[in-house]
Amino acid sequence: MKKNKAIIRLHTECIESTEKGVLVKPKTITVTELTRVVIEGIGLSFNKVYMTSKALKHCYDKRDPMEYDFVIQHLKEVVRFPEMILENQPSQRGKFCFVKTIKKVTVMVSLEEVEEGDIKGNFVVTAYRIKKPINYFRDYRILWSWEDGNPPS
């Protein structure tokens, strides 16, 4: 899977070398399009996935540099071909958690569906590595799993 050059470019243009907590130039990029099976599996209205410079800055400020680099290099792959999709906790932003293990590292990307005026699509809220997935996901509800391509019963 090709790395998302658009995310790397967004990082270079808006995020690189910024101090923690500073505002960044607003910019939105297209990350990828969801597969039909994922859209139908969890009942989404839109196939495009976007990321804003604000969301990327949030990841940059909150993550260890090595973790951040790994996550942004694989974010497109996690969203495009997740192993499972979970319903996010009610207290968290983003309704859906796309999860995939790559090179023995579990990555979670939180997405929210937005439909406000001209803005329509799925937006990345945050993305990070899960250190202990077995414990972390025990309180999440599985909405969809790649194993059978269908929502769990």
Side-chain angles (χ1 to χ4, degrees), residues 7 12 14 17 22 25 49 64-65 69 72 76 107 127-128 133 140 149 151:
I7 294 174
T12 303
C14 300
S17 301
V22 300
K25 176 175 82 173
V49 177
D64 164 273
D69 287 345
I72 67 167
K76 178 180 180 178
V107 176
Y128 50 94
Y140 286 75

Side-chain angles (χ1 to χ4, degrees), residues 4-15 23-31 49-58 119 123-124:
N4 192 337
K5 292 178 183 176
I7 294 174
I8 305 299
R9 194 169 36 255
L10 181 64
H11 168 82
T12 303
E13 291 175 11
C14 300
I15 311 299
L23 296 176
V24 294
K25 176 175 82 173
K27 188 170 183 176
T28 301
I29 61 162
T30 301
V31 175
V49 177
Y50 303 97
M51 186 169 204
T52 65
S53 53
K54 182 179 177 181
L56 188 60
K57 175 66 171 154
H58 167 77
I119 302 170
F123 283 79
V124 173

Side-chain angles (χ1 to χ4, degrees), residues 114-153:
V114 175
E115 187 171 6
E116 296 174 4
D118 292 342
I119 302 170
K120 294 177 173 73
N122 305 294
F123 283 79
V124 173
V125 174
T126 192
Y128 50 94
R129 172 180 63 126
I130 304 297
K131 294 178 184 165
K132 296 181 181 176
I134 292 172
N135 294 331
Y136 191 89
F137 296 130
R138 71 175 171 256
D139 295 329
Y140 286 75
R141 184 168 72 96
I142 298 173
L143 298 174
W144 181 88
S145 171
W146 195 259
E147 288 178 10
D148 58 9
N150 295 312
S153 50

